[in-house]
Amino acid sequence: MALLDCENLRKSFFGVEVLHGVSFSLDRGRVLGLVGENGSGKSTTMNILGGVLRRDGGRIRLDGADYEPRGPKDALARGIAFIHQELNLFENLSIEENLFITGFPRLGAAIPFINRGRMRRRARELLEQVDIRHPPGTPVGQLSQGERQLVEIAKALSVDARVIIFDEPTTSLTRREADRLFGIIERLRGRGIAMIYISHVLGDVTRICDDITVLRDGAVVGGGPVAQMPTERMISLMVGRTLDQLFPERTATPTDTPVLEVRGVSQPGVVHEIDFTLHAGEVLGIAGLMGAGRSELARILFGLDSFKTGTIAVDGVAIEAPSPSVCMDRGMAFLTEDRRGEGLMMHATIADNIALASLDEYASPWTRFVERTRLGDEVGRIGQKVRMRAADPMATLVRHLSGGNQQKVVLAKWLLREPKVFILDEPTRGIDVGAKFEIYKIIDTLVADGAGVLMISSEMEELIGLCDRILVMNHGEIQAEFRRGDFDSGRILEAAMRRRGTEAAAAPAAAMREAV
Amino acid sequence: MNATRLRLVLLRNAPVALFIVVLAVFGSLSDRFLDAQNFTNILIQASHIAILGIGMTFVLLTAGIDLSVGAVMYLSVALLGIYLADVPPLLAVPAMMAAGALFGLVNAFFIVRLRVAAFIVTLATLFIGRGLALWVTETRMVFYKDHILSLARAEWLGVPWAIWVFAIVFAAAWLVLNHTPFGRQVYAVGENPDAAAKAGINVPLVLTAVYAVSGACAGIAGFVSITQVGAAASSFAMEKEFAAVAAAVLGGVSLFGGRGGVAGTVFGAVLIQTVQNGLVIVNADPYIYPLVTSSIIFLAVFVDSQRSRILERLGRRRIRIEERPV
């Protein structure tokens, strides 16, 4: 008998059914990969399991008994732990306090004080199980993202979780940290803990899961042991058609007109002698491992961070004192890798977000008031251009949108300014396959209209599928350049991991994300 | 240790350095300043602000603010003078704490249940509290009987009574914040209320409790203050809420929640009082008191922001090691 058995789960929001009878089961010591596009019902299903939402129909049996959680705390008490994409940790508290925040060991039943000694001993045991070597009293704020994830797992172990749900656990991890996480998952599997693993990174799913269940539009559309579910099959089930191409046909070819010229840009400790030219109509990719200096370069180019030597020129004219506003005036646009934190006002409407970078252009020359009708029309036009799917851009809040639609909002915001140079930092991170394709199409339209796109990505296939040229960064330097036609993922990877001097090439071969 | 790290160490200990400078300056200006009796006086004078600040610290730790505490002080001493004039202090103080806590619960009702911003709610209840106190006292000055006034000079084991109260409140608050589940949950809620709720912490309960604690502390502060002042005019405890916030901020409590503690607040309150005491002893023009005090608060906050900036710079990732450091 399966440990967890979900049968015919149904859920409606405001009278609209979003889960139409989802069924799956999970055995002890197995890892179930749950894949599907955003909005396919993965989160809703997991929120029901984790006690965040209540189901409208169907039944769940946990270890043979009916399972009806009244809330997250109740779910946890029954042994189901949900590790959310945004971690629930308190940076100002120590690791041990985070582990026991809702169930501190006390000095006695009637004594309200925390038993620090017992807490420390219990914390040590738990941290050992997830290979964290920091003392339990270390503030969580000092841990890396990967270590924080492991603390969350230790927290689940502290309540003897039988089922652990991971929701996109690797989005903010380096490859090495992700590998460490997978090692722990492996170990937990050996101890008989059942896990549900949600991710868009299908390479990871294939690597660590035993079984796969594919969701589409609130229903299970396929599944089975991982051996019978190659990546292509997962994708075709997810999108409901065979994707004969993951990337759109490029409609334009690069011109010889330079739009962005970077000459000898260096900043000690960050980047060294960066030299390249971006042309109108060109998509120029920057490949590299995490920490190669790609995002840092992007920030320097957009005037967010300073640099010591070198010049940056747009349209042949050097930018004297770079700052974001100067760079914007000169026709640059920058999509940050942290869409939620830096790219969007999550609690504002779609329209307000799109208008943000262009308010000056739409101010009346006399009163300096924003001309709302003119702006509104333009926002509507741009929204159509990026194929925004939202009922009412003036009323819908950005935080209610899927990752793909949020990224479209950011793109629309910049499109409104009609820039010549786009710097895109991981534009498709955490976005499902269908929405990725649409982002690619938007990028293609941008360059067809004569802009130049500098695209940073950790997904090799994406760079190879979309770019005209690829620069490889490593150690804050450009190591290699590849032109369309002789793209070779092996050689690109080799350049990305090449080490200088005495340092051994110790980076694991899986260091590059092999995602869809 | 390189220059940046050295600066960091200096900046981290800046409040202590500031304190030493204050001692040195006033000590050299007057030989009465560096005197044990004077320090006792400073502690007595600082006690009501420190107690008020301790309560405020609970609220600030949850990223809230309680501007009504001065009004609660006045209201609680008004109740004491009018209704509890003959009650022994051992019963009167708990009654004043209860009245303050009740007032805090009213604040909490609007802030937690009706989700009105704490700043707005407590700004309103500041005026409501003062209004109620004026109504209770019929706008007249309230005088107190000898069994209360005599406490100003009362001692136990050679230590003045006000310092005992101060010490007990501090010890209790420190224990609660650092060594009880509730205290740690206060820090958790202040750091990230959403995560706290998801982790299963009863966030509304924690928030409600901190405003009750703040109100109760204001009740105690009112009592300690009235034993020293002797009479409550309509301006009693006016603007004390700002002194309490200043003490907490000077002691390193963040207005954004989750950072700091009561030890810092007590330090801040004592530092402010030391400066004021020093100014009195050197016969400074009373009109410059606020200027000096506010400059010191500004300096401390400025130093703290400098420290955060350096920390942020140190935390920035290095991608490559340069052969020759520039």
Side-chain angles (χ1 to χ4, degrees), chain B residues 43-162:
Chain B
L43 283 183
I44 294 175
Q45 289 156 1
S47 55
H48 70 279
I49 292 297
I51 293 168
L52 208 56
I54 286 168
M56 183 69 78
T57 303
F58 278 77
V59 177
L60 293 177
L61 281 173
T62 64
I65 195 160
D66 186 352
L67 297 178
S68 69
V69 288
V72 174
M73 273 177 82
Y74 182 32
L75 181 58
S76 65
V77 299
L79 293 173
L80 174 74
I82 302 296
Y83 301 114
L84 308 168
D86 296 310
V87 175
L90 268 181
L91 290 177
V93 173
M96 291 169 75
M97 284 174 70
L102 194 66
F103 202 91
L105 289 178
V106 173
N107 282 334
F109 174 77
F110 286 103
I111 295 164
V112 181
R113 274 303 198 73
L114 304 184
R115 291 165 191 270
V116 186
F119 192 95
I120 306 292
V121 170
T122 58
L123 187 63
T125 53
L126 184 167
F127 292 108
I128 292 171
R130 291 214 158 263
L132 281 175
L134 287 175
W135 183 55
V136 166
T137 61
E138 294 166 333
T139 71
R140 279 195 287 267
M141 193 144 176
V142 185
F143 296 94
Y144 294 83
K145 299 200 172 162
D146 266 350
H147 71 283
I148 286 173
L149 300 181
S150 64
L151 285 171
R153 289 172 307 279
E155 292 186 352
W156 188 56
L157 301 176
V159 177
W161 178 86

Side-chain angles (χ1 to χ4, degrees), chain B residues 3 9 14 30 41 66 69 92 97 119 137 141 148 152 156 171 183 186 191 202 206 218 224 226 240 273 317 323:
Chain B
V9 169
S30 162
N41 284 341
D66 186 352
V69 288
M97 284 174 70
F119 192 95
T137 61
M141 193 144 176
I148 286 173
W156 188 56
V186 167
E191 175 76 7
N202 191 337
V206 170
V224 170
I226 202 65
K240 291 293 183 195
Q273 195 56 51
R317 226 172 13 175
E323 282 80 2

Side-chain angles (χ1 to χ4, degrees), chain A residues 73 88 90-93 97 101-102 104 112-114 116 268-270 272 291-293 296 308 475-477 500, chain B residues 175 178-181 184-185 187-188 191-192 195-196 198-201 258-259 317-323 326:
Chain A
K73 217 175 168 179
N88 280 333
F90 307 101
E91 293 180 22
N92 57 342
L93 300 182
E97 287 173 340
I101 189 71
T102 45
F104 284 106
F113 295 113
I114 299 167
R116 293 251 166 203
V270 184
H272 183 67
E296 289 77 3
K308 203 138 199 165
H475 253 73
E477 287 175 49
R500 301 174 313 160
Chain B
L175 277 174
N178 292 296
H179 290 283
T180 67
R184 303 322 287 167
Q185 290 178 349
Y187 278 87
E191 175 76 7
N192 188 343
K198 276 189 201 155
I201 295 174
R259 313 280 154 139
R317 226 172 13 175
R318 292 265 132 168
I319 285 155
R320 41 184 291 121
I321 297 131
E322 301 291 327
E323 282 80 2
V326 184

